[in-house]
Amino acid sequence: MLMRSKLYCLGSAALGLVLSAPAYAQVADADASDIVVTAQKRAERLEDVPIAITSIGGDTLAGSNVSVSSQLPQLVPSLRIDYSGAFAQPTIRGVGSATSGNGLAPNVATYIDGFYVPSALSNDFQLASVTNVSVLKGPQGTLFGRNATGGAIMVTTRDPSFTPTGQVSASYSRFNHYSINGYVSTGLTDTLAMDVAGIYEKGDGFVTNLVNGDKKWAGFEKWLVRSKLLFEPTDNVKFTLTYQHNHMHDPNPQIGSLHQGLGVGALVPGTIVATRRGEVAESFKSDFFLDVDSLYLKSEFDLGFATLTSYSQYREQSTNQRADYDHSPTPIFDYSFFYQQRSISQEFNLTSPASRRFTWVVGAYYFNDNDRQSDFLISLQGGPFFQGYQTQQKTDSVALFADGTYQLGESLFLTAGVRYNSETRVARYLTQSAAVGIPGSDRNRATFNSLTPRAVLRYEIAPRTNVYASYTRGFKSGAFNPSGQNVAQPVKPETIDAFEVGFKTASSMLRLNASAFYYSYRDLQIASYVNSSSLLQNAANSRIWGGDIDAVYYATPHLQLKAAAAYTHATFSSFPNAPLYVQCLNFAACGAQGFGLFVPTPDNSTGRTLPRAPRFTASIGAQYDMPIGASTLTFNADMYHTSKVWFDPVEQFGQDAYEIVNLRATYSFPGDKVQIAVFGTNILDKTYLNQVLPAALSIGQTYGEPASYGVSGTFKF
């Protein structure tokens, strides 16, 4: 309780400064010297960019034991990454979504090396050879498009080097979890260079199935390989061709137990009921498989008056999800479904030189997506699987945008931009079984248009100190419900109007960023579940306000301190028909088919907290380098705190406040070519839920990983 009180005091003090953070940096963290960023799709100093963003270098990620994208919230308090089954769904400042299905994208856009990742099924990925991760807070509709309502996560990976270089690392930790990753790069000719990066992970997981005693029920295996080819025929032309393959076999997001024992299966006399961390009771093996092939081509041309950059992407993804829907050993309802997705995108940016009084970028973007659920197989009461339904949702999106900054006076700058987006959705539903309860076949079409402007006024108090005020609009496209009962009627688009003020400063010892914001958030897309289908609807409106702050203090050449805090007040201003889940236990009223089911009942959530929007979050960390002769011993310590978070819009299912503490000690041998490290994650062994999934047959839940510890080694050459 004392620790929690201190953290709240820290947050209150931070808010008094006016509150959040850095921008999309393309360099690793070193000190508080100039960092060049491209958060506005043009090169600018970090402290000159009037956007709230947290930027994390690759060294900081490694020192904080952050190796996958789902761990990023431990370093970015205003960010959460939750799950809906295997769908990873980021939330920034309370803006996120629990919708899941083919063609339904998250509210926070994810980009890898400037290329959009359209699927929530591949949003939790390994951070292999990553040099920087930047989290842009607030709607980014003008520069980053239709589904950046809450913000954007920008990941930058290493580019090939003409100088031969490489490294290999290996680690082993609790639950028989081991990983091997490597990177190698070299020049092939004077104009051609190539690299290869890869990572392989395998582990037993921490879950035991109480039905058969299998302690490896949550065993996983995943790997990634990426290769880039860099071609620079002249000083003014550069091409970077990238191929990447991801493979994941990880049942953990799908394996669930019963939240507070709530499930139809729990009503069966003598059945095993699993509720505690590390325990499940399944009769059918829940699982998740993912394979992604991506091909990227980035082309850059220095035209003198401007730089033309082209981003061309082709992407194929296939997944298989299987789950024991009732989370019990009684064979009631099991399912397996397959997703196949093909995406093509093309973006052109024309960017002015950075040294002029007026800097600008204009661009065009095209996105085509074919997302298909090819099979939805259902088994009832242990019987054979039969075909439920097939769905398909196609998207064609075209956008034009322009954004520029004009220096009005010696210290005053005006930024203005606008984006026009037109998107057409075509959805088809083919039902082969009346048991699912969805009409036979249907084909629907809808077009959604949007105009998303922004305006920013920035004043330079000193050469590396700025204040700014901004207005930005965000837009999340409307969509058809791919697995729902309202298949003919699409949900309306979400819109958000964001107002923000901020302060940024940097010196040789301190970098500090703070901001305060107010959002008017309308037509939120909310999902609930009836039988095996989802019901997608628009909530009315919400209001979100708050602030965040982060700072890095270079106390000595050997000691670096960092802290961040975020306060978010996110409530529904009107939502009279929110889904409250009520279990039907009256046999006379429910009948044999409905007894024990959880039925979403309309409830008034006006004034209640938005899902996945904790009121207060914070992180603190330190890095100390201790010279030992020609060697160095580095200590890293990080702590993350979150207040209570709700997983649903009626405050029915939640997780109380908790902290996660990670430690790491690294010994670097002379020359810094060889390193060994010992580390611990969640060393206080906090038990916490990372998702609660209310559905018709059960209220499922999954837990975060217990305390773990391990050792790693790195060799650079």
Side-chain angles (χ1 to χ4, degrees):
M1 181 62 70
L2 179 60
M3 178 181 292
R4 188 173 304 168
S5 300
K6 290 181 177 179
L7 284 168
Y8 276 102
C9 291
L10 171 64
S12 301
L15 287 170
L17 292 172
V18 196
L19 332 166
S20 177
Y24 177 26
Q26 294 187 352
V27 299
D29 31 2
D31 55 21
S33 61
D34 284 347
I35 298 177
V36 177
V37 302
T38 56
Q40 301 184 117
K41 292 187 180 285
R42 47 195 184 271
E44 300 166 290
R45 292 191 313 178
L46 173 62
E47 55 270 22
D48 295 337
V49 178
I51 301 175
I53 310 165
T54 296
S55 183
I56 311 164
D59 291 342
T60 296
L61 293 170
S64 300
N65 300 302
V66 173
S67 60
V68 293
S69 60
S70 58
Q71 296 170 334
L72 289 172
Q74 297 176 27
L75 299 177
V76 187
S78 53
L79 168 70
R80 283 189 63 89
I81 298 181
D82 294 276
Y83 281 90
S84 179
F87 294 84
Q89 298 167 325
T91 300
I92 297 177
R93 291 175 168 176
V95 181
S97 175
T99 59
S100 60
N102 52 310
L104 299 180
N107 300 54
V108 176
T110 299
Y111 287 81
I112 298 178
D113 292 329
F115 295 92
Y116 176 52
V117 179
S119 174
L121 288 170
S122 49
N123 265 353
D124 185 8
F125 50 86
Q126 297 162 297
L127 299 174
S129 67
V130 167
T131 60
N132 179 268
V133 175
S134 294
V135 179
L136 286 66
K137 305 170 188 176
Q140 307 295 321
T142 302
L143 292 171
F144 293 98
R146 72 201 200 289
N147 287 334
T149 321
I153 299 173
M154 320 293 291
V155 179
T156 304
T157 66
R158 294 178 68 172
D159 280 335
S161 167
F162 286 93
T163 302
T165 184
Q167 73 175 55
V168 60
S169 302
S171 69
Y172 183 82
S173 58
R174 192 183 179 194
F175 309 116
N176 199 31
H177 179 190
Y178 61 87
S179 69
I180 302 172
N181 69 81
Y183 177 83
V184 63
S185 178
T186 189
L188 303 178
T189 70
D190 291 341
T191 59
L192 194 65
M194 180 179 180
D195 70 5
V196 177
I199 183 169
Y200 177 83
E201 283 187 84
K202 190 173 184 179
D204 294 341
F206 62 93
V207 175
T208 298
N209 188 0
L210 300 180
V211 176
N212 57 15
D214 190 341
K215 297 182 180 296
K216 301 180 181 180
W217 194 251
F220 62 90
E221 180 182 43
K222 47 189 175 181
W223 56 271
L224 174 152
V225 62
R226 179 195 307 118
S227 181
K228 293 186 180 182
L229 192 64
L230 173 64
F231 179 47
E232 296 184 348
T234 71
D235 292 339
N236 300 324
V237 178
K238 182 167 71 172
F239 301 95
T240 307
L241 179 65
T242 305
Y243 169 74
Q244 178 173 301
H245 179 82
N246 301 63
H247 171 79
M248 180 183 295
H249 170 206
D250 187 359
N252 284 279
Q254 294 285 93
I255 293 176
S257 56
L258 291 179
H259 184 64
Q260 299 176 355
L262 296 172
V264 174
L267 301 178
V268 178
T271 192
I272 301 173
V273 178
T275 60
R276 297 187 302 179
R277 184 182 69 181
E279 296 180 347
V280 299
E282 292 188 338
S283 59
F284 176 75
K285 178 63 183 290
S286 298
D287 225 329
F288 174 62
F289 300 86
L290 167 74
D291 281 285
V292 184
D293 288 286
S294 305
L295 190 64
Y296 309 137
L297 177 62
K298 181 180 179 181
S299 308
E300 301 169 84
F301 307 90
D302 186 349
L303 306 178
F305 74 96
T307 298
L308 176 64
T309 306
S310 168
Y311 295 89
S312 307
Q313 174 182 213
Y314 178 81
R315 188 175 187 275
E316 287 188 349
Q317 174 179 292
S318 62
T319 64
N320 173 217
Q321 300 180 65
R322 305 197 301 235
D324 187 334
Y325 192 61
D326 51 277
H327 301 299
S328 77
T330 303
I332 299 174
F333 192 112
D334 306 320
Y335 70 80
S336 175
F337 58 85
F338 301 83
Y339 278 146
Q340 295 175 316
Q341 183 181 35
R342 178 195 56 79
S343 303
I344 299 172
S345 65
Q346 176 61 57
E347 180 173 353
F348 293 105
N349 292 337
L350 190 65
T351 309
S352 71
S355 58
R356 297 179 179 176
R357 190 180 186 91
F358 177 51
T359 58
W360 48 266
V361 57
V362 296
Y365 180 75
Y366 172 72
F367 175 69
N368 174 272
D369 183 69
N370 186 345
D371 204 338
R372 178 174 180 174
Q373 183 176 294
S374 58
D375 290 289
F376 182 42
L377 305 178
I378 301 171
S379 172
L380 300 177
Q381 298 179 352
F385 280 90
F386 62 89
Q387 177 69 61
Y389 54 83
Q390 298 177 344
T391 70
Q392 184 179 37
Q393 188 156 194
K394 294 183 179 181
T395 303
D396 268 298
S397 178
V398 179
L400 300 173
F401 61 91
D403 191 87
T405 299
Y406 183 73
Q407 187 173 357
L408 297 173
E410 183 178 351
S411 302
L412 190 62
F413 301 83
L414 174 65
T415 298
V418 66
R419 185 187 191 100
Y420 174 76
N421 189 89
S422 180
E423 177 168 303
T424 299
R425 296 265 190 154
V426 177
R428 184 176 182 183
Y429 307 85
L430 177 63
T431 302
Q432 298 182 355
S433 173
V436 182
I438 298 178
S441 62
D442 203 358
R443 186 177 186 273
N444 305 281
R445 180 187 181 95
T447 298
F448 307 97
N449 300 320
S450 66
L451 196 67
T452 49
R454 78 168 183 141
V456 189
L457 199 61
R458 174 173 66 90
Y459 183 75
E460 189 177 70
I461 300 174
R464 303 188 68 183
T465 302
N466 291 271
V467 293
Y468 68 88
S470 69
Y471 162 75
T472 310
R473 168 164 285 192
F475 171 86
K476 182 183 179 184
S477 174
F480 292 97
N481 189 5
S483 60
Q485 299 181 345
N486 53 340
V487 295
Q489 184 65 38
V491 290
K492 295 185 293 184
E494 295 181 351
T495 58
I496 184 169
D497 289 301
F499 302 87
E500 181 170 297
V501 294
F503 171 82
K504 295 187 174 189
T505 188
S507 69
S508 60
M509 293 185 64
L510 175 69
R511 182 177 296 280
L512 185 146
N513 308 273
S515 68
F517 59 89
Y518 173 82
Y519 296 164
S520 176
Y521 190 17
R522 297 175 297 280
D523 293 320
L524 285 71
Q525 297 170 6
I526 301 290
S528 57
Y529 294 86
V530 180
N531 297 325
S532 61
S533 302
S534 66
L535 176 65
L536 194 61
Q537 62 177 319
N538 290 105
N541 299 310
S542 68
R543 296 288 182 268
I544 305 175
W545 58 269
D548 40 72
I549 183 169
D550 66 52
V552 179
Y553 177 54
Y554 304 89
T556 73
H558 303 294
L559 177 62
Q560 175 182 310
L561 305 174
K562 57 186 178 181
Y567 178 86
T568 304
H569 187 276
T571 57
F572 291 104
S573 56
S574 176
F575 192 7
N577 296 308
L580 174 72
Y581 284 84
V582 178
Q583 189 174 22
C584 188
L585 297 176
N586 186 324
F587 190 87
C590 308
Q593 297 298 320
F595 182 73
L597 295 183
F598 296 87
V599 181
T601 305
D603 190 64
N604 190 355
S605 271
T606 301
R608 288 175 174 155
T609 304
L610 267 64
R612 301 167 178 176
R615 189 65 57 92
F616 178 73
T617 52
S619 66
I620 56 176
Q623 176 175 311
Y624 180 68
D625 300 318
M626 178 188 297
I628 304 176
S631 303
T632 304
L633 182 59
T634 301
F635 298 97
N636 292 88
D638 293 275
M639 183 180 74
Y640 166 76
H641 167 84
T642 178
S643 62
K644 184 165 188 173
V645 59
W646 297 101
F647 295 105
D648 66 293
V650 298
E651 298 184 356
Q652 189 176 8
F653 309 111
Q655 167 61 53
D656 289 335
Y658 64 91
E659 293 80 34
I660 295 177
V661 177
N662 299 331
L663 299 176
R664 187 180 186 93
T666 305
Y667 183 80
S668 301
F669 288 85
D672 200 32
K673 297 291 185 181
V674 179
Q675 297 177 337
I676 57 172
V678 293
F679 58 87
T681 57
N682 189 16
I683 63 168
L684 301 181
D685 198 27
K686 293 292 184 177
T687 299
Y688 62 95
L689 296 168
N690 56 23
Q691 66 173 323
V692 175
L693 297 174
L697 294 173
S698 65
I699 308 300
Q701 64 181 11
T702 62
Y703 286 91
E705 187 175 86
S708 183
Y709 36 82
V711 61
S712 69
T714 300
F715 174 65
K716 302 177 182 179
F717 53 90

